[in-house]
Amino acid sequence: MRKILTYILSASVVALLSVSCENAKFLDQYPYSQTSPENFYNSQESMRMALISCYEIINTNKIPGAGNMQRGSYAQGLLYIMNTPSDDMVASSSSSNEGLEMMWANYNESTQCVRDFWKVQYAGINRCNTLLHYIEDIDMDPALKEQYKAEARFLRAFYYYHLAWNFGGVPIVLSHESNGQEPRATLEKVYGQIFDDLDYAYTTLNTTGVFQTSSANKYTAAAYIARICNYLAACKNNNAGAGLEGEGNLNSFAFVDADAMYKRSKEVCEDIILNSSYKLIPDYTNLFRETTKSQQYQECLFLAELPLSGSEGYWPNSFYLPSPTCNADSPTVWGGRFVPTPRAFYMYSKNDPRRDHNMTGRMQDVHPDGHMGKIEIRVDGYTYYNPDPPRTEVNELDASGNPIKDESSATGYKQIESPLYDSPTQTYLATAGIQVCPGKYRLCKIDQLQRTYNQHCVSFPLMRLADVYLMYAEAVYFHDGDEGTAREYLRKVLLRACGNDETLCDQLMTEYRRDNFTDELLESRERELIFECSRKWDLIRFNQIDQKISSLNKSGVDRSDIERVLGKEAADKIHDNYLIFPSDAYLKIGIPTLVDNWESYKIWLPISEEQRGVNKSLTQNYGW
């Protein structure tokens, strides 16, 4: 919408009503009793509120004049856009209009989340532009003023980064008084602006932000410089988006100097690693719980942060949280809408602790012994429910695939435990009737926080030190050719995942080693960062997304994946019938739908008909 570029933070703007009234002299009077930009931005405190509003967009549920934003922020379904489509998660069949079209790859220029996403990011950009305009005339400490400006410029770059990764070249708007008619700029110009803002933030910001742990600081800016450098370098080296540049080469990566990008990434990552106070926390799982924010702050350089108190801010419905469904005494989470693929499950070794946290059963499943599928645990004084490992009994089949009769059995057939059951943990059994869920994000018991049963206060990690280590490994490898140092940093991440068990870490490093280091790098990133807005972009920038999606098995579990984890002898004992998706399974619907819908040009989102309707200078991305 054109007007979206002129909306200011909701706390500082009152809508002006147009009226028609003969001889109404009061209309000539300036409404000093009302809040307006001219009389609001007049103090350091007003600048503080303005900066808060710039951050608020990350998790907003609405923007003034445009209403509810159901899919445009991290608390409102942005994970749909930033995580999918990819080869590690598909949509269930439970809904067709709540962002799941992103996982099915059937989004188009009318899709609600595409429309909301554009508006939310530009609302964030406009708030940053507003602060940067008015702060120049504010009487405040010069050093603090620079910090405010640097954080606003970091956030402007943050919002442009989201737009550029998803839409390609977009309009560059640097004035809060824009009329919304700017044409799209090329990727070269957009990233030029992003780097200008990030460089300013990196060289200006202190090691602690204005709002302490909730603010961006110089190392946050450094990490985003590294992420964008690695993205651009890989896109250039692997010809990502070739043939999809569009009108005027809007989305061309020809301008990128890949080696220079990797060099810059290496330098800023080294600064973070050597000089920042961030560290890998001992327990990987505590990065993804509602109540472990103090631990998150130790590792996370940036969070999409929600407060623990229900009296603060907007509370998003847990519909948008990928997590296993819970029961009445813990928050309701609509986990059925996200379904991990079997290849994502078998990407992990059965001994990798991250697998059993990131891939789980559902909490409401009733197991053969009659208990519900959850185990109560305590974390820092709060009660959580871990999804209980799925344990199911199925009919044993003969060589022809028929059930073996057994009159002593209650079912009349010989029963065996899940044939893929390889450890006291969950296992991906296509025919067990137990759905595997992305269980990475965990909610505590309902009565321990001030919120309703269908809400959550999980703060999503957007940038953490483990990712910096992995980015550094990539930059060192591609810039210096130093595979040894690169693998050393892969090991640092894995060692933490293993609870600092050196023996287990060495075992997994051997198991995960690949002749092609790029394959090893991308697999290491997926195991650590799965469901954290990483995999989709790794596949795009290494030009693998077409092949990875098309190679997903539409009908069942690949035996080769099982062999890699369990070994050939164990895998050979599993009858093919146990590997086939039931006709009504989410995977049977989700995977074929994704594979059939995916097209190469969909690495770029379409410019919505709404935006092109109000800004005639906007051109559409190639293929749409």
Side-chain angles (χ1 to χ4, degrees), residues 519-565:
D519 293 339
E520 186 174 340
L521 170 71
L522 295 185
E523 289 175 6
S524 295
R525 289 181 57 79
E526 186 179 11
R527 293 185 190 100
E528 176 71 15
L529 303 172
I530 194 167
F531 313 139
E532 291 184 66
C533 309
S534 174
R535 178 63 173 176
K536 170 185 176 180
W537 307 106
D538 283 348
L539 294 182
I540 289 174
R541 67 195 182 96
F542 281 88
N543 206 9
Q544 296 183 13
I545 193 164
D546 291 352
Q547 184 271 325
K548 293 295 186 180
I549 289 179
S550 65
S551 65
L552 287 172
N553 191 327
K554 294 182 179 182
S555 60
V557 181
D558 283 331
R559 187 175 292 276
S560 59
D561 288 335
I562 302 170
E563 289 180 357
R564 186 174 64 252
V565 175

Side-chain angles (χ1 to χ4, degrees), residues 231-352:
Y231 167 79
L232 292 175
C235 284
K236 177 65 176 296
N237 283 344
N238 297 288
N239 296 314
L244 308 175
E245 292 84 357
E247 187 175 320
N249 280 329
L250 279 171
N251 298 334
S252 171
F253 293 101
F255 70 94
V256 176
D257 182 335
D259 191 59
M261 290 291 175
Y262 274 131
K263 180 175 185 292
R264 183 78 197 286
S265 174
K266 175 189 170 185
E267 292 170 347
V268 294
C269 285
E270 284 178 342
D271 188 14
I272 298 168
I273 293 168
L274 296 175
N275 300 314
S276 80
S277 61
Y278 293 102
K279 63 182 181 181
L280 300 181
I281 66 171
D283 189 339
Y284 171 83
T285 70
N286 284 343
L287 288 163
F288 314 105
R289 301 185 188 276
E290 285 183 292
T291 59
T292 52
K293 298 187 191 301
S294 62
Q295 294 183 56
Q296 285 183 311
Y297 294 144
Q298 296 176 46
E299 179 171 338
C300 297
L301 288 78
F302 204 50
L303 290 160
E305 190 168 357
L306 288 173
L308 285 177
S309 170
S311 63
E312 301 174 33
Y314 170 74
W315 285 91
N317 192 291
S318 60
F319 179 95
Y320 303 104
L321 182 69
S323 180
T325 306
C326 305
N327 301 303
D329 54 359
S330 61
T332 299
V333 181
W334 306 89
R337 289 170 172 81
F338 295 82
V339 187
T341 60
R343 66 144 298 279
F345 180 88
Y346 283 108
M347 168 191 63
Y348 291 96
S349 165
K350 63 184 180 181
N351 298 313
D352 190 329

